[in-house]
Structures are given as C-alpha cells and as structure tokens.
Amino acid sequence: MKAVEMRMLERAKALLESGEVARVIGWKKGDFCYDPSPATFETVEELNDFVYDWFCGANLSKYLIQASKKEGKTAVFLKPCDTYSFNQLVKEYRIKRENIYVIAVECLGKLDIEKIKAKGVSFVTGVEVEEGNVKVAS
C-alpha cells in the first residue's frame, strides 16, 4: 500500500470512528487492479476495500449531490481537478457545503487501461510507476 493511500485510509478511519462524519466517499477495489469504482463507506470495516491508485480517475464531486442531503456529514476525497466541479456544485446550491468534509488528495496522474492494452499487454495484475516510467505486471 502506497504512503498516500495509507494516509487517506487512516484519515477516513479516524473520521468514521470519531463520529465526525457519517460516511466517506472514495474508491473501492474492483475485480481487477485497473477497475476501481466510486464507493460510499459507512463503517471502518467497509474501508477494507478502499483503494487509491493510478486508476482512480473518477471525480467524486457528483456523488455529493445525494450524500449532502443525508443526515450527518460526508467526507470526500477530492483531487485538485475535482475541486472545480465541487465549487460549481456549491455555487449552484446543488450540494449543502456545511454537510461536506473535504479532504484534498494529491493527484498521482491517471493511467488508461485501454492504452496499456494497446501496447500488447493482454492481462494486467498490477502497475508501478517510478519517475514517469510505467511498469506493468502481467
């Protein structure tokens, strides 16, 4: 587990355990390493499926429209590019800002599985990126 992902997970656990938030919106592991999907975690146990990596490109802002209407605060992880849509949703009064706990996360950059497969890789079991070089385990 990468240091960034570990810090995010620790923060989510602390917020849920303290009761400061009722839920956390992040990404959960998919069937393959390259298909994480947005998810809402309401317990610390559910965070076992939490992930943040090179394939977590989904903007989580749109999930706040419904979440901000629920009882209690919702924590959400936002990458720098996601904050534009978040701010627009606040301006349009589509989300209740007072019900959202924003956690800024660094953007690792995003990988596209289709581009990886186009290079002749048929099965991907993992990915490492070091100094701009992508290493694919298959």
Side-chain angles (χ1 to χ4, degrees):
M1 187 176 280
K2 295 177 294 306
V4 171
E5 184 181 34
M6 184 62 85
R7 287 193 308 270
M8 292 170 66
L9 187 56
E10 288 171 4
R11 187 70 180 129
K13 284 181 181 179
L15 288 168
L16 285 171
E17 286 173 342
S18 71
E20 192 167 348
V21 301
R23 70 201 61 80
V24 175
I25 298 177
W27 299 267
K28 69 177 179 178
K29 298 173 186 173
D31 291 335
F32 303 101
C33 68
Y34 53 81
D35 69 346
S37 59
T40 301
F41 304 93
E42 295 185 351
T43 67
V44 172
E45 292 76 27
E46 290 175 349
L47 288 168
N48 290 333
D49 290 330
F50 179 86
V51 66
Y52 184 66
D53 61 21
W54 301 95
F55 295 105
C56 293
N59 181 343
L60 302 178
S61 295
K62 69 181 179 179
Y63 299 96
L64 296 172
I65 295 170
Q66 291 301 318
S68 73
K69 296 174 185 173
K70 294 180 179 179
E71 192 68 35
K73 282 193 171 196
T74 300
V76 63
F77 292 103
L78 295 180
K79 303 178 301 291
C81 60
D82 301 340
T83 61
Y84 296 107
S85 58
F86 172 80
N87 289 330
Q88 189 62 36
L89 291 170
V90 171
K91 286 179 189 176
E92 294 173 359
Y93 301 101
R94 295 185 66 200
I95 59 175
K96 296 177 183 178
R97 177 63 180 99
E98 63 274 9
N99 291 350
I100 307 299
Y101 188 107
V102 175
I103 305 168
V105 296
E106 67 179 284
C107 182
L108 303 173
K110 300 299 156 214
L111 294 177
D112 182 347
I113 190 62
E114 296 308 319
K115 289 182 180 179
I116 292 172
K117 287 181 178 180
K119 298 282 185 185
V121 179
S122 59
F123 189 75
V124 178
T125 59
V127 174
E128 285 187 35
V129 179
E130 293 179 10
E131 299 178 17
N133 295 316
V134 179
K135 296 178 183 177
V136 178
S138 57

